[in-house]
Amino acid sequence: MTSASGSTASEREARIAANLAAVRARLETAARRAGRDPGAIRLVAVSKTFGPDDIRAAVAAGQRDFGENKVQEALEKIDKTRDLDLRWHLIGHLQSNKAKKGARFAYIHVLDRVELLERLERAITEQDTAPELLVQVDLAHEPTKHGARVEALDAIFEAVARCSAVRIIGLMLLPPWLEDPEAVRPWFRRLAQLRDTLLARGVPSAMLRELSMGMSHDFEVAIEEGATMVRVGSAIFGKRPLG
Ligand SMILES: *Cc1c(COP(=O)(O)O)cnc(C)c1O
């Protein structure tokens, strides 16, 4: 079969495998340069807009963690890849009324308000699932992006202390988009510093284990600044259709 882009399914599969190998090599090099263990950094393949065939191609090349930014689109893919043992990460905004659906993911990177935390607590208790949550932090105050402001973090960590089902494991950052990865470095560094500040203030270290930051064009810099999860889409699956 030939796709719109003119490549056959097997060419597409080979391309994804080669891209994944290249991304893993970049990840390892960046980790070693920073004196870190590459095995402590999780590569989340962001499959948004790409179909189950592309996900299967990545799985064939050894990938297990996949990220999606839209709940409905993700649930369809989760259903179509049920036969595989995958870990799904929700990396896009989650509306409170979709908490039940959100609770089906293994990781939710976008916790940004107490109301959502409480909805997730209820959904997780009812469904008996066990997603791990990361608090998305809004450092740059861009109107188009979500996330909890630094001043709002205390309320979230206090609220989680009253919960019995939800588990927070770290912080997530979606920094301003800047062409030059070096220009993004200060934002990554600020998230790591915020983690240190919260630790010093007594937030349990189990809640601050992970830093989810870095995408296709800047994940090496994020790794140098302490990322433990990088979310990489286009470098693996190719350019996304605009829209
Ligand atoms: C799309 C997306 C990514 C991946 O972006 P690429 O530039 O394709 O690697 C990472 N994080 C979030 C939150 C995204 O929405």
Side-chain angles (χ1 to χ4, degrees), residues 16-17 43 50 64 82 110 133 173 182 186 206 208 222 230 240-241:
I16 289 172
L43 173 63
F50 295 100
R64 284 285 173 281
R82 266 198 190 295
V110 293
L133 314 183
L173 182 68
E182 279 305 324
L208 295 166
V230 292
R240 281 181 297 274

Side-chain angles (χ1 to χ4, degrees), residues 92-112:
H93 182 62
L94 179 59
Q95 290 171 271
S96 296
N97 62 9
K98 291 198 180 141
K100 272 192 186 164
K101 289 179 173 169
R104 292 180 54 191
F105 289 77
Y107 297 90
I108 301 172
H109 294 230
V110 293
L111 173 66
D112 61 359

Side-chain angles (χ1 to χ4, degrees), residues 46 48 69 91 172 174 215-216 231-234 240:
V46 178
K48 64 188 184 193
N69 67 335
I91 61 170
M172 180 272 215
L174 187 52
M215 324 201 322
S216 289
R231 311 177 307 263
V232 178
S234 47
R240 281 181 297 274

Side-chain angles (χ1 to χ4, degrees), residues 12-138:
R12 175 87 187 133
E13 233 181 274
R15 158 78 41 206
I16 289 172
N19 287 348
L20 254 176
V23 166
R24 290 201 189 104
R26 283 170 59 188
L27 185 153
E28 281 199 29
T29 305
R32 297 206 192 286
R33 192 166 56 229
R36 301 183 54 202
D37 171 13
I41 299 157
R42 189 183 299 228
L43 173 63
V44 179
V46 178
S47 48
K48 64 188 184 193
T49 76
F50 295 100
D53 289 348
D54 285 349
I55 292 168
R56 285 180 190 278
V59 173
Q63 183 62 25
R64 284 285 173 281
D65 289 90
F66 290 90
E68 290 281 338
N69 67 335
K70 291 187 178 144
V71 174
Q72 199 52 45
E73 179 186 338
L75 292 182
E76 284 163 24
K77 292 179 205 175
I78 293 174
D79 277 340
K80 287 183 179 150
T81 54
R82 266 198 190 295
D83 54 309
L84 304 169
D85 180 24
L86 305 182
R87 291 183 290 264
W88 289 94
H89 298 244
L90 181 61
I91 61 170
H93 182 62
L94 179 59
Q95 290 171 271
S96 296
N97 62 9
K98 291 198 180 141
K100 272 192 186 164
K101 289 179 173 169
R104 292 180 54 191
F105 289 77
Y107 297 90
I108 301 172
H109 294 230
V110 293
L111 173 66
D112 61 359
R113 56 202 189 279
V114 171
E115 189 210 2
L116 179 59
L117 179 76
E118 289 168 346
R119 297 274 194 122
L120 284 168
E121 168 75 8
R122 254 179 286 153
I124 292 168
T125 308
E126 281 168 27
Q127 295 177 16
D128 202 22
T129 54
E132 299 193 294
L133 314 183
L134 292 92
V135 180
Q136 181 178 356
V137 183
D138 171 17

